[in-house]
Amino acid sequence: MTAEQAPIRTVVIVGGGTAGWMAAAAAARFLNDGQRRIVLVESDAIGTVGVGEATIPPILGFNRLLGIEERDFLRETGATFKLGIEFVGWDTGQDRYFHPFGPHGRDIEGLNFHQLWLKLRDQPGIGTIDEYSASAMAARHGRFAAPADDPRDPLSQLAYAYHFDAGLYAAFLRRRAEDGGVVRIEGRITGTDRDPDNGHLRAVLLDGDRRVEGDLFIDCSGFRSLLLGDAMGVPFEDWSHWLPCDSALAVPTERTEPLLPFTRSTAHPAGWQWRIGLQHRTGNGHVYASAHMSDAEAERLLIAHLDARPTADPRKLSFRAGRRLRLWEGNVVALGLAGGFLEPLESTSIHLIQAGISKLFGLFPDRRFVAVERDEYNRLMGDAYTAIRDFIILHYHATRRDDSPFWRYVRTMPIPDSLAHKIMLFREKGRIFRYDDELFAIPSWVAVMLGQNIRPTGYDPVVDALDGDRVAAALRQMRAGIADAVGGLPTQSEYIARYAPASRR
Ligand code: FAD
């Protein structure tokens, strides 16, 4: 940093939900140079959204960077392991498919595995693409173990994330953040003070005539978007014409056995229901479009599809799909719900918080707040939101369901050009390209495209250069290797009981 690059002295984080405490814990670890003040303001009276229990594999990297021991994390947050998502009834109403974490099979001579499988799929002994995913096969049998270290072992291809209790995770991170020097201020924000010259935020105003000044403000105030939306006036880009679900009812139930190592997403007439098994309870919720279903009917369906006794009354949440046009404006950066919302179908919101934190730290400003750093952040995060948006729309649009006005709407609605292009490419020869920093890798797109019955009419002709019999033999061997290896794994309950039983059942 040169003399004119005056360092940020005070970082003010507004909000103490998952976003706020993730940002605070990361700031304590990476921004606390002994000179900088890191403050978090939250209001217990307002509370947090309190949901958000399913994650995707990059969360392991986030925890690791923070120096979190997996065993401590599992015990403290009631967490379980997640190998992917089972989608029930998303194509015809009667179907089910699995979106696993990790790859399908192994590429041969640089050719994508799924292209080899597409060519050979009708031959005897080749089986379904799922049978080449260690994660999908372990999930199917309710089994789990940490991935093997030896790359030749089929279990090295296991990949996983977590289900955890959102409240316990925030509390866990809070302890780490406060130990790392973050100062928490309890209070309700009633206003803001902006510099009339450059529009930057100077302070947030709290009840009791208090004022918290800062150089950089991280808005984690949830759907209210107090700083980026209200104070800075950054408009919201509405995506609800593509993603019409705007409501959810969430209800916990008692823990059940077996403890499934995956999230289940069951399609309903105007949305879908999640099921997330934790160590101490199961989280359930029904996400639906209020234009197509009343709250009473949504609650009836939710309760009818529970597999255990509810332990509380259903709680209603309302939202709108979309994001703020810019996630960094002036000296304000929004993380979490303050920046935007994409429904939890692929468990991506917590990941977007993590991505926002790592990109903000990667482009950490000084007090001049130069445009090029801000613009790069906005470009990267804008692309991240858009790619996830397209992936979620795919689940709704590529369906044969025709049994309700909701499904007729989503299957016939115009979709973003970016997604239409991806579907056309896949339909032709099963090709998928991963653009830039796009989150979901080829196996994810392949699993969901095939699961939603998009059948490529051909395969990549380059595959014909390989000896078909040799490739078929290799595939049969991979399939048998995975079945064998998965058969020897413990159930998830056995694994957790041995590895890290929760302290808070
Ligand atoms: P909040 O939890 O709403 O926190 C906002 C904070 O701001 C609170 O501390 C509040 O007190 C504070 N605040 C607000 N106003 C003021 C004020 N005036 N003064 C002081 N403080 C204030 N994500 C996933 O990754 N996986 C999932 O499975 C998943 N499921 C979801 C299901 C549903 C139905 C919904 C709605 C979301 C789900 N999410 C999921 C998203 C996830 O819940 C959020 O991304 C995550 O909880 C982050 O929320 P947040 O911290 O941004 O906001």
Side-chain angles (χ1 to χ4, degrees):
M1 188 155 304
T2 61
E4 60 279 12
Q5 292 177 5
I8 301 284
R9 294 157 306 196
T10 305
V11 177
V12 178
I13 300 167
V14 166
T18 307
W21 286 114
M22 281 176 78
R29 168 83 178 76
F30 294 105
L31 300 181
N32 188 355
D33 57 4
Q35 315 287 317
R36 191 170 285 132
R37 226 168 98 75
I38 302 159
V39 177
L40 183 144
V41 183
E42 71 170 319
S43 159
D44 276 342
I46 293 175
T48 67
V49 67
V51 281
E53 305 186 323
T55 59
I56 52 176
I59 188 80
L60 271 72
F62 182 77
N63 282 357
R64 213 176 291 129
L65 276 178
L66 260 47
I68 292 173
E69 268 286 323
E70 187 174 65
R71 280 190 167 87
D72 294 344
F73 163 79
L74 289 163
R75 278 197 204 97
E76 294 293 318
T77 66
T80 54
F81 296 99
K82 171 180 171 186
L83 293 162
I85 306 176
E86 182 187 45
F87 289 93
V88 181
W90 280 80
D91 175 29
T92 60
Q94 306 307 319
D95 60 298
R96 59 180 71 217
Y97 72 91
F98 201 77
H99 169 195
F101 297 142
H104 295 113
R106 291 179 194 278
D107 298 350
I108 297 180
E109 294 189 22
L111 296 178
N112 280 332
F113 169 82
H114 79 275
Q115 289 292 352
L116 309 170
W117 177 84
L118 278 176
K119 176 177 174 180
L120 300 169
R121 65 190 145 166
D122 295 327
Q123 289 196 12
I126 294 302
T128 63
I129 196 150
D130 263 7
E131 293 173 273
Y132 294 87
S133 157
S135 297
M137 287 301 95
R140 186 186 286 182
H141 299 288
R143 293 175 185 276
F144 181 81
D149 291 331
D150 181 349
R152 290 164 304 179
D153 186 330
L155 296 179
S156 64
Q157 296 197 304
L158 279 170
Y160 70 92
Y162 306 111
H163 301 128
F164 56 65
D165 183 309
L168 296 180
Y169 187 52
F172 177 68
L173 293 179
R174 174 177 168 183
R175 286 193 290 279
R176 298 185 73 88
E178 290 186 321
D179 288 350
V182 173
V183 175
R184 175 185 181 276
I185 299 176
E186 167 64 34
R188 186 189 183 92
I189 293 169
T190 51
T192 50
D193 173 21
R194 284 178 76 185
D195 185 328
D197 294 333
N198 63 8
H200 284 196
L201 218 58
R202 284 197 294 222
V204 290
L205 312 177
L206 267 60
D207 49 3
D209 273 342
R210 290 175 294 164
R211 173 185 172 89
V212 178
E213 296 188 345
D215 299 321
L216 171 68
F217 290 82
I218 305 184
D219 184 359
C220 301
S221 63
F223 288 126
R224 290 169 188 85
S225 195
L226 287 179
L227 307 187
L228 191 74
D230 287 0
M232 305 301 281
V234 176
F236 186 81
E237 186 178 0
D238 189 332
W239 290 338
S240 57
H241 50 296
W242 289 313
L243 295 167
C245 288
D246 60 358
S247 306
L249 284 162
V251 68
T253 51
E254 289 173 341
R255 174 192 161 139
T256 53
E257 281 295 338
L259 194 53
L260 302 179
F262 57 87
T263 303
R264 178 174 289 142
S265 158
T266 305
H268 283 330
W272 58 281
Q273 179 161 341
W274 79 75
R275 184 195 183 286
I276 295 172
L278 305 179
Q279 293 192 50
H280 51 302
R281 63 170 167 81
T282 302
N284 309 270
H286 183 183
V287 174
Y288 56 100
S290 63
H292 294 281
M293 185 172 282
S294 67
D295 293 346
E297 176 59 4
E299 183 170 335
R300 192 194 64 72
L301 268 173
L302 169 67
I303 303 293
H305 285 81
L306 297 177
D307 59 9
R309 209 172 58 82
T311 55
D313 290 333
R315 198 161 63 85
K316 168 101 194 272
L317 297 126
S318 301
F319 42 78
R320 194 152 47 113
R323 66 170 175 95
R324 297 281 155 188
L325 270 180
R326 293 175 298 283
L327 294 157
W328 178 341
E329 180 88 337
N331 60 342
V332 174
V333 177
L335 296 174
L337 303 173
F341 183 74
L342 284 163
E343 61 182 83
L345 189 57
E346 285 284 354
S347 321
T348 43
S349 291
I350 292 170
H351 174 77
L352 280 167
I353 298 170
Q354 172 185 343
I357 292 170
S358 77
K359 289 178 180 32
L360 173 60
F361 290 7
L363 288 160
F364 200 69
D366 60 81
R367 289 209 303 277
R368 295 170 309 147
F369 287 96
V370 295
V372 66
E373 291 165 354
R374 179 200 63 207
D375 293 349
E376 184 64 2
Y377 182 87
N378 284 329
R379 186 185 72 78
L380 291 168
M381 288 306 292
D383 288 354
Y385 267 90
T386 308
I388 294 171
R389 174 201 72 188
D390 284 3
F391 192 51
I392 296 176
I393 297 172
L394 171 68
H395 299 64
Y396 284 108
H397 184 67
T399 182
R400 288 177 284 177
R401 284 190 74 137
D402 195 18
D403 53 311
S404 69
F406 173 82
W407 287 104
R408 283 193 286 280
Y409 171 76
V410 291
R411 70 178 277 193
T412 55
M413 68 185 174
I415 55 171
D417 291 345
S418 43
L419 175 60
H421 177 73
K422 267 201 151 105
I423 293 176
M424 275 192 308
L425 261 179
F426 188 76
R427 225 189 268 289
E428 183 56 30
K429 294 192 183 64
R431 290 196 177 102
I432 300 277
F433 294 95
R434 190 181 189 177
Y435 303 116
D436 299 333
D437 243 5
E438 202 175 317
L439 174 62
F440 288 101
I442 292 174
S444 291
W445 283 93
V446 169
V448 175
M449 293 264 195
L450 291 175
Q452 300 282 156
N453 196 43
I454 301 178
R455 304 275 146 195
T457 48
Y459 57 87
D460 192 333
V462 177
V463 168
D464 288 332
L466 299 185
D467 175 340
D469 290 342
R470 200 173 59 82
V471 174
L475 260 59
R476 289 188 192 104
Q477 203 184 351
M478 282 181 209
R479 180 175 175 234
I482 288 175
D484 245 25
V486 162
L489 294 179
T491 65
Q492 139 131 290
S493 299
E494 288 165 349
Y495 184 82
I496 291 180
R498 219 180 301 146
Y499 180 61
S503 52
R504 294 167 187 266
R505 296 255 172 102

